[in-house]
Amino acid sequence: MKELASIAWWKWACAGLLIYTVVGGLLLEVPRLPILNESIRNLYFHVPMWFGMIILLTVSAVYSIRTLLKYNPLDDLKAQNSVHVALLLGILGIVTGMLWAKYTWGAYWSNDPKQNAAAIGLLIYFAYMILRGSFADEQLRARISAVYNVLAFALFIPLIFILPRLTDSLHPGNGGNPGFNSYDLDARMRLVFYPAVIAWTLIGWWLVDLMNRVHVLNNEEVEA
Amino acid sequence: MRNFLAGLFVILLGFLSAGKSFGQNSVEMADQLRADGKIYVVVGVFLLISAGILTYLIFIDLRLKKLEKQRSENQKELKK
């Protein structure tokens, strides 16, 4: 019991929010829309994957900038693990998106601009992991992959937020329309959607935290 | 007259049913699943899986905490 109290408060908050998301996401009212029907509830599970991924990538970019300003192996480690978990969320996002698309848009992959951009974004970050693996020297690895990570982030944001809006997309809020408001993300859905985003982001950060600590324990030179 | 009224009634009924099928509430949702209460079975399964994964995360977290404690004690002894 005393041990459980040593778990950080935000981890308990994360657990509570996730449970709320599951219960609220399945039981609370949603708009009745054709084609989407009950599958509109996927918004509570598919979209938070992407939000979580983007938040973790932002965190990673910040740690990479810190690495470049003043070298600290721990910052580099955090940047790496954030990308790692962000990729996990991104893969889950793309797979759940494909499944949802099959039953609402008619095909797993319809070369939708946002689908394509997300796939390219994932490839850019896969390349980051490969790049990291190709250095023997720690400082060199930290610096070069930090530069790459900042550039990757600067490319990822327009790729996923700006380019799909310039053309027609099956995704809601694209093709000139601003954000979510054009969609039926009404007040009832926000009540579950935002907690879901926080819950999944925190789960992601929890995993990053665990990975960081495993690496620190594994490596005698990195001091927490 | 009676035929006229019957005809009017049929037409009105037609409008009503047409209006219903174009209306918001005609969109098919899992209403029966909810009415049966079987939706709670789905909620239960989701909850069990989430709780399982969260418990496992907490378990790993506690394990790591133990290892970190051990390591810091070892380092203190090395310094002595």
Side-chain angles (χ1 to χ4, degrees):
Chain A
M1 223 53 225
K2 207 173 144 196
E3 282 173 336
L4 282 181
S6 71
I7 301 268
W9 64 270
W10 60 266
K11 288 171 183 168
W12 293 113
C14 160
L17 282 172
L18 186 71
I19 284 166
Y20 167 74
T21 302
V22 167
V23 177
L26 289 172
L27 291 181
L28 293 181
E29 280 275 310
V30 291
R32 304 175 85 94
L33 297 176
I35 300 174
L36 277 175
N37 303 31
E38 202 79 53
S39 85
I40 194 169
R41 293 178 191 275
N42 280 355
L43 184 96
Y44 302 141
F45 301 98
H46 160 73
V47 186
M49 295 296 131
W50 293 108
F51 275 59
M53 178 203 193
I54 291 160
I55 293 168
L56 285 184
L57 290 178
T58 312
V59 169
S60 176
V62 170
Y63 277 117
S64 281
I65 292 170
R66 279 177 56 142
T67 307
L68 288 174
L69 292 177
K70 185 174 178 293
Y71 174 69
N72 175 0
L74 203 62
D75 286 342
D76 183 48
L77 188 67
K78 285 175 181 170
Q80 180 203 335
N81 289 333
S82 302
V83 169
H84 223 260
V85 176
L87 276 173
L88 170 72
L89 293 181
I91 292 166
L92 289 175
I94 218 161
V95 173
T96 52
M98 279 169 72
L99 186 61
W100 198 6
K102 172 67 181 166
Y103 293 96
T104 46
W105 300 345
Y108 290 111
W109 202 269
S110 30
N111 279 322
D112 176 71
K114 211 163 203 170
Q115 273 186 328
N116 285 341
I120 296 168
L122 283 182
L123 289 177
I124 291 172
Y125 279 100
F126 280 135
Y128 169 78
M129 297 313 295
I130 295 168
L131 178 74
R132 286 196 70 92
S134 58
F135 291 104
D137 183 69
E138 256 176 48
Q139 286 218 20
L140 195 66
R141 172 172 61 215
R143 274 177 218 287
I144 294 180
S145 46
V147 171
Y148 181 89
N149 193 21
V150 174
L151 288 176
F153 188 67
L155 196 61
F156 182 76
I157 293 302
L159 206 55
I160 210 160
F161 284 116
I162 301 171
L163 291 182
R165 290 215 163 94
L166 297 179
T167 159
D168 276 327
S169 169
L170 290 161
H171 273 96
N174 292 298
N177 293 328
F180 268 116
N181 289 329
S182 58
Y183 202 51
D184 273 72
L185 187 71
D186 59 15
R188 290 173 293 175
M189 293 200 82
R190 281 171 214 274
L191 222 57
V192 178
F193 177 70
Y194 292 132
V197 167
I198 299 170
W200 285 104
T201 307
L202 287 180
I203 290 229
W205 185 246
W206 193 346
L207 290 172
V208 173
D209 174 61
L210 291 177
M211 299 266 285
N212 290 340
R213 286 158 65 189
V214 167
H215 281 153
V216 168
L217 280 172
N218 246 337
N219 187 349
E220 293 295 319
E221 282 159 38
V222 183
E223 273 293 335
Chain B
M1 191 60 192
R2 193 179 279 176
N3 275 349
F4 173 74
L5 279 179
L8 201 69
F9 182 70
V10 168
I11 290 170
L12 269 178
L13 213 71
F15 273 132
L16 277 177
S17 58
K20 211 184 168 199
S21 68
F22 288 120
Q24 271 283 302
N25 289 332
S26 71
V27 175
E28 203 180 306
M29 301 292 260
D31 293 321
Q32 195 55 44
L33 181 75
R34 283 161 208 285
D36 292 344
K38 290 230 171 74
I39 183 70
Y40 298 109
V41 179
V42 183
V43 175
V45 168
F46 269 55
L47 273 180
L48 284 173
I49 292 178
S50 318
I53 291 175
L54 288 169
T55 311
Y56 192 57
L57 275 175
I58 291 170
F59 176 76
I60 297 173
D61 207 293
L62 290 176
R63 264 285 172 83
L64 275 175
K65 214 155 252 175
K66 213 181 230 174
L67 285 172
E68 282 161 351
K69 214 173 155 188
Q70 266 175 19
R71 189 187 165 183
S72 67
E73 276 167 10
N74 284 349
Q75 276 173 343
K76 259 182 217 161
E77 273 182 32
L78 279 176
K79 275 175 192 164
K80 270 180 195 169

